[in-house]
Each structure stands twice: as C-alpha cells, then as structure tokens.
C-alpha cells in the first residue's frame, strides 16, 4: 500500500474500532495468509485499557572515589524512551517517572564525533567542562562513534519480521502504523536481502517464507493483509522466528529478527525471566534480535527492553510515521547491522583529583567491576553509524586520599602517578567483533588539562537533554536546572541540525513547561 494512503488506513482502522465497540458483534474473521482464527480489530476490555508497565529505576547517586573508584556499565544505544516520552508530552501529560531513561534520551540524537581510524569499529571522544546545572561540579563527556557504512556496503541481510497480531494490536497506532513502518523498510531492501514474516496471536504461523528483497510487491502484500485478533503467544512466535532465521542463515551476513509488538505476551512463555532465558539461549545461533514497540495504553516496556538487551539487539519505540522513517530508513544501518557487540565501559577515578562522581542514567546497564574482563558476560551492541554518549558529574578535590594497593591511582604509600600526573580518570572499553567470542580492549586517559571553559555543541546539547531527563524524573540532583535553562542550553548548542531533531526537542521542552507534576508509574 502506498504511504500516501497511510492516513486513510488509520482513519478506516479507527472507524472499525468504533463500530466493533458499538455493536459488540463478536464476529471472527480468519486471514487468508495463515491458519489462525483471529478477532479482527478486537477492542480491549475497559480494565485492560491502561496497563502500561515500566521497570523501576533507582537513580544513581554520588560515589566516593576513594571507596568506589571503579564505575562499570554496558553501553546502550536504545532510543525507545525518548520517543515514548515524546508520545506522552504530545498527548498532554508528563510520562511516568520510570519511563524516563536518561541515557536513552541522550542517545536518541546524533553527535558530531570523528569517524574511527584503522581497524577500530568505533572512535572514542572525551571532553570535560563545567556542569551547567551545578557550576561547582564538572561533567565528563564520553562519546563513541560507530563506523558509518553506506547501504550498498552493508552485508546481505536475512531478516525475519516477527509481528504481533494479537487483539491488543488492533488500535490505529499499533498494527496500522506497524504495517506502514515495515513497508518503508521493504522499500529499501536490496536483491541480495531476504525477508520472512512470522506472526503470532493465539498461536504462531509463517505468513511469508524467506523472500528476495527484489520481490517487494509480494512482501508488502503480505504485510498489508495482516489483521489483529486473539491472545498473545509471544514465546511460540519467537521460537518459530529463530527457526526460520537459522534455516536461512547467511554466513557473514546480517541475520536478524525484528520483533514488532506492544509487548503483551500472555500465552505460554510470557514472564520477563522466561522470555529472557529463551532469547539468551537462542542468541548463541548468531541471530540478533531487534525489538520495536508500538501503541498506547498496553506497553510492556520492561519486557521489550529486557528481550532486546539479552537478544544482542536494540529496543526502539515508534510513535509516528516520522519515527518509523528515522529508525527503519534513515538509520537503517545502525538499526540492522551490528559492528561491535558486548561493549563495556569501565572508568577508574583518581581519588587525588576526584572526590566523588555520579553516572547519569544507565541504571539498568550497571555491571559488577569483575564483569568488565569476563567475556561470558553479555553487554550492549553498537550498530553501523551509531553514537553512544555517557556523562559523569564529578566533584574535584585537592586533598590527599587514603588509597588501596590494587588500583592504578591507589597505594598504601603515596602514588606518584596519582599525585603528579594530573590524571582525572582512566577510561577502558572492551568489545567483541560480531562473530567473535574474545574481547579487545581500548584505554584512554583524561587529565585536568582537558578541562575546557568553551565546550562543544556535543557537550552542551547532551547536558541539556540530561537535565531535561532529571527534571522529568524530579531528580534529587537537578540542582539549578529549569525548563527555561534547558531551552537556553539546547538552543545555544543545536548546531546545524539537518534532521530537525534538535529543534523538535526544544519544542518538546517548551510543551513540557505547560504540563503538571510528574506522573508516578506503577512498576513491575
């Protein structure tokens, strides 16, 4: 279906929902494409209309650099939280506190980091400047830039669209928007790519066997004919999708399942822990899993994020056709092709220079310090062209600290490196190539000499977004931040903004000023 008819499709879908609700007809329709009885455009029961759930986030606090000199976490390029927050603001309400993940707000945007050199999959950029919401502190800005690849240079893709067609997906902002999003992706497939479509409701079925990207009409016809109805056997659907992906595996290619759902699994394997164990087992096959969330009122955010994190993939939320184009067309390389997996960051703070520190966001990505060198521990992935940004708020000190003998900056006797080098932190990164089991390590030192009075647009814009997230969460550490200041900081750092995303952010902050208090979420 042509995208020019998208609004018509949405209008028809909304009309159908209204008619079904009014008539209570209970009619059942069966699709022509798979052997599964469905309740087309089934209306959720009133008590199920507002069942969104988010994992609780306990905000990172300040850590004493002497007692806790190491900070270790997995990278995160998920962007679902930003689009979901925008959905709430657009609808005239603030998001639940736990829907706001600061690192995902920050990492929604591209930053002007240099491309990697030599054989490195990503570059590392660091910067230190005054913290805008607390001028007595400093911000350490860490930026990673994944290697950019043109679409023609991407390896062949073996994709399986795993589509939720249960009754909860009948709303216009779910299946109709999902269909349009996947048609956008189909338009950009190459002849060497192939796509299969698996659907699940009360059971799972194969709608389209693996089909060449050159046969776009056949793929799009299968997408257009999907209908919503029934319960949600997500576990069965995932198993079938992995089987199809493995049967059509391309050695050296991009083998990936794209799961599109509102996250409501309620038949068979359905609990968070069961689903996570399932995808952890299946990721050993070399098939990656990307999760894309849709819809309002029924989002199971924590479940979708957990599945993506443990399935060697990323989690996105699509709230509009504009976002669909961003995720599946403009940033297709990063969304679909992984250039580095199990990427971990460990920062060691020099207690002679740093009194305390706080990592902004990444609360659900924290790792044990010992996990950094453990190659069996799963971590995040970086896609082609992806940027990853992390921020630490730090408090400096000139006082000599008591030290520990096992670390670079800490010894029982005064350590010359710690006291005379001017080093603030040592930054370490570990990653694996997509098909490797052993990590490589990169090391970079940040010194006091790198503290800048004039900071980059990257630094100031990312700080503005982080401050916005703290305001939405009513953070104990927001200090002097206000929405007016966030707008000022962001406006002064928006740069060229070819995509318009930074201007959109400023408008969203302006809209937020007119809303009430933060909504408190009910968490799983």
């Amino acid at each position: 279906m042509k995208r020019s008819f998208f609004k018509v499709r949405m209008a028809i879908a909304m009309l159908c929902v209204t008619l079904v609700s009014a008539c209570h007809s209970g009619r059942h329709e069966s699709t022509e494409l798979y052997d599964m009885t469905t309740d087309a455009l089934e209306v959720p029961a009133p008590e199920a209309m507002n069942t969104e759930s988010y994992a609780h986030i306990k905000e990172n606090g300040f850590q004493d650099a002497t007692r806790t000199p190491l900070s270790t976490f997995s990278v995160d390029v998920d962007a679902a939280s930003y689009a979901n927050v925008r959905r709430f603001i657009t609808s005239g309400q603030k998001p639940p506190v736990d829907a706001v993940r600061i690192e995902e707000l920050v990492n929604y945007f591209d930053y002007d980091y240099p491309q990697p050199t030599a054989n490195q999959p990503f570059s590392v950029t660091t910067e230190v400047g005054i913290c805008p919401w607390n001028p007595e502190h400093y911000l350490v800005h860490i930026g990673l830039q994944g290697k950019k690849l043109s679409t023609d240079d991407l390896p062949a893709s073996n994709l399986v669209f795993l589509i939720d067609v249960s009754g909860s997906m009948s709303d216009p902002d779910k299946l109709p928007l999902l269909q349009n999003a996947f048609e956008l992706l189909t338009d950009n497939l190459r002849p060497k790519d192939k796509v299969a479509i698996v659907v699940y409701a009360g059971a799972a079925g194969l709608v389209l066997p693996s089909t060449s990207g050159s046969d776009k009409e056949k793929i799009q016809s299968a997408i257009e004919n999907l209908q919503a109805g029934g319960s949600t056997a997500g576990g069965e659907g995932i198993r079938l999708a992995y089987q199809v992906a493995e049967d059509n595996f391309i050695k050296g290619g991009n083998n990936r399942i794209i799961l599109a759902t509102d996250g409501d699994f309620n038949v068979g394997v359905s609990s968070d822990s069961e689903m996570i164990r399932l995808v952890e087992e299946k990721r050993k096959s070399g098939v990656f899993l990307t999760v894309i969330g849709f819809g309002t009122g029924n989002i199971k955010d924590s479940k979708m994020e957990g599945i993506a994190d443990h399935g060697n993939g990323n989690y996105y939320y699509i709230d509009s056709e504009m976002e669909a184009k961003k995720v599946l067309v403009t940033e297709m390389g990063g969304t679909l092709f992984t250039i580095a997996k199990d990427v971990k960051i460990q920062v060691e703070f020099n207690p002679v220079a740093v009194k305390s520190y706080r990592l902004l966001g990444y609360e659900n990505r924290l790792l044990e310090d010992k996990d950094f060198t453990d190659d069996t521990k799963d971590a995040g992935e970086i896609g082609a062209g992806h940027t990853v940004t992390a921020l630490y708020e730090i408090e400096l000190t000139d006082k000599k600290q008591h030290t520990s003998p096992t670390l670079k900056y800490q010894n029982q006797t005064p350590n010359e490196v710690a006291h005379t080098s001017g080093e603030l932190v040592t930054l370490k990164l570990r990653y694996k190539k997509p098909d490797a089991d052993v990590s490589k390590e990169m090391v970079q030192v940040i010194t006091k000499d790198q503290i800048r009075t004039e900071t980059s647009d990257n630094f100031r814009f990312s700080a503005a977004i982080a401050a916005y997230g703290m305001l939405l969460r009513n953070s104990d550490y927001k200090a002097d931040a206000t929405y007016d200041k966030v707008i000022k900081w962001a406006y002064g750092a928006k740069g060229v903004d070819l995509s318009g995303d930074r201007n959109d952010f400023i408008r969203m902050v302006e809209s937020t000023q007119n809303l009430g208090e933060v909504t408190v979420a009910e968490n799983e």
Side-chain angles (χ1 to χ4, degrees):
M1 183 176 292
K2 299 296 184 182
R3 289 187 299 280
S4 60
F5 295 127
F6 177 62
K7 292 183 179 179
V8 175
R9 175 196 285 165
M10 294 284 279
I12 293 171
M14 286 188 286
L15 177 60
C16 290
V17 171
T18 303
L19 291 174
V20 172
S21 178
C23 297
H24 298 284
S25 63
R27 291 175 55 192
H28 290 75
E29 300 177 13
S30 65
T31 74
E32 299 177 1
L33 294 172
Y34 56 99
D35 184 16
M36 190 186 309
T37 301
T38 62
D39 293 320
L41 294 173
E42 180 181 279
V43 180
E47 63 271 15
M49 294 295 283
N50 187 16
T51 60
E52 297 189 13
S53 61
Y54 301 89
H56 175 63
I57 296 174
K58 182 180 179 181
E59 186 177 30
N60 292 328
F62 278 96
Q63 302 293 319
D64 185 295
T66 300
R67 297 174 181 172
T68 313
L70 295 176
S71 173
T72 309
F73 64 98
S74 163
V75 301
D76 185 6
V77 296
D78 294 349
S81 181
Y82 183 88
N84 194 26
V85 165
R86 180 176 60 201
R87 187 252 306 185
F88 277 100
I89 300 301
T90 301
S91 68
Q93 58 182 319
K94 287 187 178 178
V97 169
D98 291 319
V100 181
R101 295 187 287 272
I102 289 177
E103 74 280 6
E104 293 187 25
L105 269 59
V106 171
N107 285 323
Y108 180 85
F109 297 87
D110 288 328
Y111 297 91
D112 186 23
Y113 302 137
Q115 279 292 295
T117 57
N119 295 320
Q120 301 289 1
F122 53 83
S123 66
V124 183
T125 300
T126 59
E127 189 173 356
V128 186
I130 294 174
C131 177
W133 57 84
N134 188 345
E136 294 183 358
H137 290 177
Y138 292 84
L139 278 186
V140 177
H141 177 113
I142 301 168
L144 311 183
Q145 173 65 64
K147 184 177 181 180
K148 294 180 179 179
L149 299 173
S150 69
T151 301
D152 291 339
D153 292 333
L154 294 175
S157 289
N158 162 37
L159 303 177
V160 178
F161 296 167
L162 175 56
I163 299 176
D164 181 353
V165 293
S166 62
S168 66
M169 291 293 291
S170 63
D171 296 338
D173 60 348
K174 295 185 181 181
L175 185 58
L177 178 57
L178 181 159
Q179 289 169 304
N180 191 63
F182 277 82
E183 287 175 12
L184 286 168
L185 175 55
T186 301
D187 282 342
N188 288 273
L189 294 175
R190 304 158 300 177
K192 65 180 179 180
D193 300 324
K194 51 187 180 180
V195 171
I197 300 177
V198 172
V199 298
Y200 64 94
L206 178 64
V207 167
L208 180 75
S210 192
T211 301
S212 169
S214 61
D215 199 349
K216 293 179 173 54
E217 184 176 346
K218 183 177 181 180
I219 299 170
Q220 291 182 338
S221 177
I223 294 170
E224 290 169 13
N225 282 284
L226 297 176
Q227 298 181 67
S231 53
T232 317
E236 186 178 345
I238 288 176
R239 285 195 179 94
L240 179 57
Y242 272 106
Q243 178 185 324
V244 173
E246 291 168 20
D247 289 344
N248 295 279
F249 194 87
I250 299 175
K251 188 174 181 180
N254 171 35
N255 299 279
R256 184 176 298 269
I257 296 167
I258 305 178
L259 168 58
T261 178
D262 60 5
D264 187 13
F265 307 127
N266 52 38
V267 174
V269 174
S270 60
S271 73
D272 288 10
S273 58
E274 287 177 311
M275 297 297 288
I276 287 172
R277 280 195 294 270
L278 174 59
V279 299
E280 281 182 333
E281 174 189 345
K282 293 296 185 180
R283 76 182 180 211
K284 299 173 185 176
S285 65
V287 176
F288 290 71
L289 174 64
T290 292
V291 179
I292 302 178
F294 291 84
T296 299
N298 197 42
I299 295 171
K300 301 298 182 281
D301 178 83
S302 58
K303 192 184 297 291
M304 291 190 285
E305 183 186 25
I307 291 171
D309 290 350
H310 291 270
N312 280 351
N314 305 120
Y315 169 39
Y316 302 90
Y317 175 81
I318 290 180
D319 61 337
S320 63
E321 187 175 7
M322 176 189 70
E323 187 67 12
K325 184 176 181 181
K326 174 183 172 68
V327 172
L328 295 174
V329 179
T330 307
E331 299 177 358
M332 183 175 69
T335 302
L336 300 183
F337 183 62
T338 298
I339 59 173
K341 69 178 183 180
D342 292 339
V343 184
K344 307 170 186 174
I345 295 179
Q346 186 170 78
V347 179
E348 181 186 345
F349 291 87
N350 178 3
V352 173
V354 179
K355 180 179 180 181
S356 63
Y357 65 88
R358 187 175 81 88
L359 175 62
L360 278 69
Y362 292 93
E363 286 88 356
N364 60 0
R365 295 294 189 131
L366 299 178
L367 298 172
E368 297 289 336
D369 294 336
K370 63 182 180 180
D371 293 341
F372 181 69
T373 55
D374 184 350
D375 281 349
T376 67
K377 293 293 183 180
D378 183 57
E381 282 65 50
I382 296 179
H386 269 159
T387 60
V388 181
T389 301
L391 302 172
Y392 282 94
E393 182 178 351
I394 65 173
E395 180 184 8
L396 299 185
T397 180
D398 293 326
K399 297 179 181 179
K400 294 184 179 181
Q401 307 291 314
H402 295 293
T403 56
S404 167
T406 60
L407 297 162
K408 176 178 178 181
Y409 298 120
Q410 302 193 35
N411 284 318
Q412 296 291 355
T413 57
N415 184 327
E416 184 176 353
V417 173
H419 285 276
T420 65
S421 66
E423 295 181 7
L424 293 174
V425 305
T426 293
L427 168 66
K428 296 181 181 180
L429 300 102
R430 288 178 70 87
Y431 70 93
K432 299 172 189 169
K433 292 184 177 180
D435 57 353
D437 296 320
V438 178
S439 293
K440 296 186 176 183
E441 185 168 306
M442 303 167 65
V443 180
Q444 189 165 323
V445 174
I446 304 174
T447 68
K448 284 185 176 181
D449 292 339
Q450 291 178 248
I451 296 177
R452 300 171 58 177
T453 54
E454 296 293 330
T455 52
S456 67
D457 287 345
N458 291 333
F459 181 99
R460 288 178 284 115
F461 193 80
S462 63
I465 301 166
Y468 176 65
M470 287 192 290
L471 289 169
L472 288 178
R473 291 186 56 82
N474 195 27
S475 167
D476 292 337
Y477 307 101
K478 64 183 183 296
D480 295 336
T482 65
Y483 290 117
D484 281 332
K485 289 181 179 179
V486 168
I487 293 169
K488 179 181 178 181
W489 298 333
Y491 188 82
K494 68 177 182 178
V496 177
D497 191 30
L498 293 175
S499 68
D501 287 341
R502 297 192 176 195
N503 266 322
D504 289 342
F505 169 71
I506 293 170
R507 286 194 291 268
M508 186 167 74
V509 180
E510 291 171 341
S511 297
T512 308
Q513 287 180 299
N514 300 322
L515 303 178
E517 293 300 316
V518 178
T519 302
V520 178
E522 293 185 5
N523 304 301
E524 289 189 333

